[in-house]
Amino acid sequence: MASYPCAVFPEEIDPFVQSIRPYQIADIGSKGWIEQHEVLQKLCQQAFIEATTKQEEIVKERLILEGKIPLLIHEVYSVLIWRTEVLPRLLGLKDPDATFVLYSVIYHEANVCSLLETVMYHRTSCEALGSSALDLIDYCAQAIGRLIGLLANGYNDREDDPPPSDLLNESTSEEIIRMGRGIDFRIGIKCLGVVSYLVEGLELLPLSAATRLVRVHDFPCLIAEILHAKPWLRRNREGVFEKYRNASWMPAHGDAVLKVTETEAQTWFCLHRLLFNGELMRDYEINGYRHREIGKCVGLLNEQLLDQLPALIPLKQHLCTLQLTKENFPTGSTSTSLLLEELPEVREQLLQTARRMGWQQIVDKQRKIFIDLEDHNILEMAKRIGAAYNTDLLEKYTEHEENIRKQDETDQIGAKVCGNCGASASKKCSNCLQIFYCSR
């Protein structure tokens, strides 16, 4: 039997999960919050290991059993509000003494979102959401909206990392803003997967979930916009195509550019489930704008895509029919069938608590944590955060997944490519015996 290292020992998982509790915005950065940040980071690593190595997913089971999944949604909202309301006020005071402390809070949102993406793969997690599913739908809609905004402003048209000369002249505030954009991109990509799982398990969610998906946030048009924006594809500064896989950009040479990524496939299947769900479409009016936006996806369903995802052939037929029979296409009623509708609560409760305390009081409280840190506090915080971000543990699995991915790409492309220029190659490097080149 294979033996895998673990981020959390089996006997620690239960107390770790049981210790998760909701923190208010004013408590972010406190000792208790930092301890929970460590716990959630380790649980996220452990959940990733369990999922990628096909072990029993104990972290997911304990989160469901202890009713902690709604608290994960509380966590991402608390940091999101902190980023929009508190962080600008803190940066307006003066340049912080240690940016990694601020960045650890920003990263906390992406970390918890990653944990949510891992556990929401299972339908039992959809059932465990309860009424907090509405908050999660709202959160994903905002995250995907921010992702579309980033792409519209050319985020993927430039390099992720500015030239060293620009970094040297970058102020602390500019650095934090740049890091925040990177986190927004990662969260947006993860939320595409979360939404796909929510739509797949829609019958397990509250009745109001369908209303929020199509009438409040118009997810069919939102997903169509993402499919056209293609956040998983870009060119680097050398002009080489790259694809976003496993939270990093990978070079794509030749036919590899046409290979569908996991996120791209999930997004297509999400649109398929939305448009083929009769309950959803009864409340969805196909007006001129929606007809135009969704119909544009027909052009993206090319032969190469359908060869890899043949289950989308009915979707292309459906969209072609929609274009040809616009006048006769049944449209939803403008009145909702729900007399009483549940509303999301997490964000409003967090905002109400923070407003009662006052934003200025929160800033004064957190100034000593994030801005005016003393040397011994910086050292202590660095040790704690460094222990939580133990990436050495995951290196083995990351390398293993990367080797499998490269082998799969070689098999599917049918030819080896040059590690320098991307052309067809037959000569293997005599040193590493892995990379191929087209010439000496």
Side-chain angles (χ1 to χ4, degrees), residues 7-35:
V8 182
F9 291 113
E11 63 272 14
E12 292 180 323
I13 293 179
D14 273 1
F16 273 20
V17 171
Q18 291 169 3
S19 70
I20 300 174
R21 69 179 185 85
Y23 279 88
Q24 297 300 320
I25 298 169
D27 298 325
I28 290 178
S30 64
K31 182 179 179 181
W33 188 91
I34 291 293
E35 290 174 353

Side-chain angles (χ1 to χ4, degrees), residues 268-307:
W268 274 113
F269 286 129
C270 183
L271 181 64
H272 181 280
R273 295 185 189 110
L274 285 168
L275 297 182
F276 279 81
N277 188 307
E279 294 292 329
L280 284 177
M281 290 298 103
R282 266 200 292 271
D283 284 335
Y284 192 65
E285 180 182 2
I286 305 292
N287 54 30
Y289 169 77
R290 290 168 174 171
H291 177 271
R292 185 172 60 255
E293 289 299 309
I294 298 172
K296 287 193 300 185
C297 292
V298 174
L300 301 175
L301 289 164
N302 52 47
E303 184 179 346
Q304 291 82 4
L305 179 67
L306 294 177
D307 283 344

Side-chain angles (χ1 to χ4, degrees), residues 126-231:
C126 289
E127 196 170 7
L129 282 172
S131 61
S132 61
L134 307 177
D135 295 278
L136 184 55
I137 291 171
D138 282 12
Y139 177 81
C140 290
Q142 294 176 43
I144 295 172
R146 291 197 302 273
L147 176 60
I148 292 173
L150 284 173
L151 299 172
N153 288 322
Y155 182 81
N156 274 5
D157 297 335
R158 58 175 178 78
E159 301 83 11
D160 252 1
D161 300 317
S165 58
D166 290 353
L167 291 176
L168 288 174
N169 299 323
E170 190 177 49
S171 68
T172 304
S173 297
E174 291 172 339
E175 178 188 2
I176 294 295
I177 292 171
R178 176 174 55 82
M179 290 176 173
R181 285 198 298 267
I183 290 294
D184 279 338
F185 179 85
R186 292 180 57 184
I187 290 174
I189 292 290
K190 291 180 185 300
C191 283
L192 289 173
V194 173
V195 168
S196 178
Y197 302 142
L198 289 174
V199 174
E200 186 178 7
L202 187 60
E203 71 274 11
L204 302 174
L205 303 180
L207 292 175
S208 300
T211 302
R212 299 203 76 76
L213 280 169
V214 296
R215 293 178 66 86
V216 176
H217 296 299
D218 196 355
F219 263 97
C221 280
L222 201 59
I223 295 300
E225 183 70 22
I226 279 290
L227 288 169
H228 276 87
K230 298 181 180 179

